[in-house]
Each structure stands twice: as structure tokens, then as C-alpha cells.
């Protein structure tokens, strides 16, 4: 079983729509959680950390459910520039485990 | 401020040939990581350095892969001999002090094709 599993998508949404997706992780001892964004043929970049209480960064909302070992990301008012692959990332003892990514395509 | 620098950006070699990748982390970052990313997958850690010490190399295929970070700054990852299955993007990342988890900054990667 993979440490981090994500729905690969693709999620194809119109501009202005809301899109949400999630991932699950297998190691209950995981300590911290993140969403990274990776554009086509580019390197991953940190989008946001995920806190137990849930957190927002502009149009992006992340949620963590430790009991269910589940992380989610919601994007409101999607922009064309949000088209990317979103990597769910779990940290334990400074070792990051990445999911395979969820691809989002926002169309005009 | 300069980001993580990697070279070469692309490399095409024949199987059984050796290949080396170079990484220069962000200035002041003590921790350096090498990852491999296969098509359609997330990055997978190969090795992590704290200064010049390899503190986690459990995922490094040691029969053909080696890495070094002699002065605790630049790092080199080598494959000898390369196999067809080594075709992937090799990403270097760095992060700052581990007093708490710090964001990892990735370089642009080296795209390796083994023919």
C-alpha cells in the first residue's frame, strides 16, 4: 500500500468553479502535512501547510482529519492559472512522502 | 536570492554508461535532498544530507547509485551503470534549520533518458 494515495483526476472545471479533492495517508504517526503544486515539467513548490484546525490561504482551503487519516484541498473561484498537479505531502521525521498528484485543469 | 541550482537540465545516455548530476542548494541551507520522480508519480526520496552527513540513504539503490556532499554545500549524485529503468527526473531540494520543519525548495531537476 502506498504511503499517500490521491485521486489522480483529472478534474476539468470551468473558471469560477469550486473544485475539491483529497488524499489519504497510511502512517498514523505522520507529523505534518502539506499541499505542493507542480506545474507541467516544473519543480514542486509549497502551496500551503495543513493544520488540524483547517486553514485558508486566499481561495485555497485545506483540512486535515487525523482520525480518518485524510487531507483535503478546496479551491474556490478557480482561475486558469490554478491548472496544475497538486501533490499531497506527509512528513514524518523530516522525511516527506508525496502522493502521485491530482491534476486540475481550469478551462475558460 | 538564487534558488536551488541543478545541472545538467537534460541528459541522454545509453544504458550501462555512467552519469552524474550536480546540485547547489540555497545559500545557508544545511539540509539537502535528492529525489527521483517518475512520470505520473510524486517525488521519492533517495538520500538526505544534514551538512555533509548522509542521515537517510535507506531508499538509495546502493549497488549503482552513490552521492556525496563533501564540504556540506554542493552535492553530486552518480549512477553507474545506468539502466533503462533509471529514466526519470532527478530533483534536488534544500531546506533550512531543522528546529522545526522547514519548507523544502526544489531545483528544476535533471531529466535523464537512458536508451
Amino acid at each position: 500500500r502506498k504511503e499517500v494515495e490521491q485521486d489522480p483526476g483529472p478534474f476539468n472545471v470551468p473558471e469560477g468553479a469550486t473544485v475539491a479533492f483529497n488524499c489519504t495517508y497510511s502512517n498514523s504517526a505522520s507529523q505534518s502535512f502539506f499541499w505542493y503544486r507542480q506545474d507541467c515539467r516544473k519543480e514542486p513548490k509549497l502551496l500551503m501547510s495543513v493544520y488540524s484546525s483547517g486553514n485558508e490561504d486566499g481561495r485555497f482551503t485545506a483540512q486535515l482529519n487525523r482520525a480518518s487519516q485524510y487531507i483535503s484541498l478546496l479551491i474556490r473561484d478557480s482561475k486558469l492559472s490554478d491548472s496544475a498537479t497538486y501533490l499531497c505531502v506527509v512528513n514524518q521525521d523530516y522525511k516527506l512522502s508525496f502522493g502521485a498528484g491530482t491534476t486540475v485543469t481550469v478551462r475558460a | 536570492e538564487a534558488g536551488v541550482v541543478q545541472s545538467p537540465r537534460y541528459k541522454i545516455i545509453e544504458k550501462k554508461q555512467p552519469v552524474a548530476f550536480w546540485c547547489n542548494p540555497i545559500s545557508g541551507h544545511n539540509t539537502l535532498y535528492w529525489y527521483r520522480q517518475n512520470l505520473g508519480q510524486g517525488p521519492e526520496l533517495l538520500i538526505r544530507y544534514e551538512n555533509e552527513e548522509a542521515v537517510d540513504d535507506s531508499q538509495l539503490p546502493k549497488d549503482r547509485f552513490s552521492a556525496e556532499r563533501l564540504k556540506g554545500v554542493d552535492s553530486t549524485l552518480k549512477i553507474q551503470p545506468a539502466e533503462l529503468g533509471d529514466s526519470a527526473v532527478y530533483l534536488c531540494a534544500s531546506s533550512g534549520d531543522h528546529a522545526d520543519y522547514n519548507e523544502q525548495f526544489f531545483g528544476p531537476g535533471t531529466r535523464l533518458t537512458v536508451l
Side-chain angles (χ1 to χ4, degrees):
Chain A
R1 181 185 174 188
K2 292 184 179 179
E3 290 187 53
V4 181
E5 300 211 42
Q6 295 185 246
D7 181 345
F11 289 79
N12 191 329
V13 300
E15 269 188 296
T18 295
V19 59
F21 43 89
N22 55 65
C23 79
T24 57
Y25 61 95
S26 60
N27 189 343
S28 60
S30 298
Q31 297 152 327
S32 50
F33 308 89
F34 310 90
W35 285 101
Y36 273 68
R37 171 193 169 128
Q38 187 169 27
D39 293 309
C40 188
R41 301 180 75 86
K42 298 288 189 180
E43 71 272 22
K45 293 184 179 179
L46 180 65
L47 177 67
M48 60 194 300
S49 301
V50 186
Y51 303 116
S52 297
S53 54
N55 51 295
E56 282 190 14
D57 184 358
R59 298 180 293 105
F60 296 83
T61 300
Q63 294 277 355
L64 167 64
N65 184 320
R66 282 188 182 270
S68 301
Q69 296 180 203
Y70 168 103
I71 306 160
S72 66
L73 181 67
L74 182 145
I75 307 173
R76 286 185 303 279
D77 188 24
S78 299
K79 311 293 185 189
L80 294 176
S81 58
D82 295 333
S83 297
T85 296
Y86 292 85
L87 301 168
C88 178
V89 185
V90 171
N91 171 51
Q92 184 187 3
D93 297 331
Y94 308 113
K95 178 180 176 181
L96 296 187
S97 296
F98 288 76
T102 297
T103 299
V104 173
T105 302
V106 182
R107 63 182 188 275
Chain B
E1 180 182 325
V4 176
V5 179
Q6 290 188 248
S7 68
R9 294 291 311 277
Y10 303 91
K11 190 73 176 178
I12 301 174
I13 61 172
E14 294 189 344
K15 63 181 181 182
K16 300 184 182 180
Q17 294 300 305
V19 63
F21 315 125
W22 176 82
C23 173
N24 180 247
I26 291 173
S27 177
H29 280 190
N30 297 326
T31 307
L32 184 146
Y33 312 78
W34 282 103
Y35 289 88
R36 175 170 59 190
Q37 185 171 23
N38 292 307
L39 189 64
Q41 300 298 316
E44 296 178 323
L45 181 69
L46 293 173
I47 189 167
R48 172 166 70 95
Y49 282 94
E50 293 285 348
N51 298 302
E52 62 272 11
E53 181 183 0
V55 295
D56 183 356
D57 63 355
S58 57
Q59 304 281 72
L60 190 71
K62 297 182 183 63
D63 56 337
R64 297 183 301 106
F65 286 66
S66 64
E68 59 184 16
R69 193 184 184 200
L70 293 175
K71 297 183 179 179
V73 180
D74 296 0
S75 178
T76 302
L77 177 69
K78 298 178 181 177
I79 308 175
Q80 182 169 13
E83 297 179 353
L84 295 176
D86 296 331
S87 295
V89 177
Y90 290 82
L91 293 161
C92 179
S94 69
S95 65
D97 189 359
H98 268 305
D100 192 359
Y101 172 78
N102 274 305
E103 177 182 354
Q104 291 188 22
F105 295 85
F106 285 82
T110 297
R111 187 172 298 271
L112 174 67
T113 301
V114 182
L115 302 175

